[in-house]
Amino acid sequence: MTAEAPVAPALSYGRLIPVTVHFDDLDALGLLHNARYPLMVERAWTELWHEHGFRFEGDWAAAGDACNAVKELRISYEAPVTRPGGYAVHLWLERLGRTGLTYGFR
């Protein structure tokens, strides 16, 4: 039996960014491979930053604050993705500091 992902409530914060799950993103059990979840989140953030005019085009000096490094990544797998198709990643900002930020996703 496969659990269905809960329907997302109307968003009062953050953004939904469309992503696509392809057949080859699924593992041998037909589930989105655990390593693909962070990739989907990264692609969603990249799309959001591109919408706001921030993109990396190969020049680290010119990119300035658009260059960042991930210090920590925590993921909880709440609902399986069981088939290819269109999905959305919900992104939000949890904390914005002077030298870093913490964002949330689901």
Side-chain angles (χ1 to χ4, degrees), residues 3-40:
E4 292 297 320
V7 175
L11 296 180
S12 61
Y13 62 94
R15 286 276 310 276
L16 286 178
I17 304 295
V19 295
T20 301
V21 172
H22 300 276
F23 177 78
D24 62 352
D25 292 322
L26 305 178
D27 64 15
L29 298 175
L31 303 172
L32 182 64
H33 190 279
N34 64 302
R36 296 295 192 174
Y37 283 87
L39 181 62
M40 296 292 165

Side-chain angles (χ1 to χ4, degrees), residues 43-98:
R43 287 177 177 163
W45 275 110
T46 299
E47 179 63 30
L48 181 68
W49 288 121
H50 284 178
E51 286 179 12
H52 292 282
F54 295 97
R55 61 182 74 237
F56 178 70
E57 296 176 346
D59 183 348
W60 291 100
D65 286 342
C67 295
N68 55 64
V70 174
K71 177 183 173 189
E72 181 179 12
L73 177 66
R74 284 189 252 168
I75 297 178
S76 176
Y77 300 96
E78 301 295 332
V81 173
T82 60
R83 60 189 62 161
Y87 292 86
V89 177
H90 181 195
L91 304 174
W92 65 90
L93 189 61
E94 289 187 359
R95 183 193 65 79
L96 179 61
R98 290 184 40 230

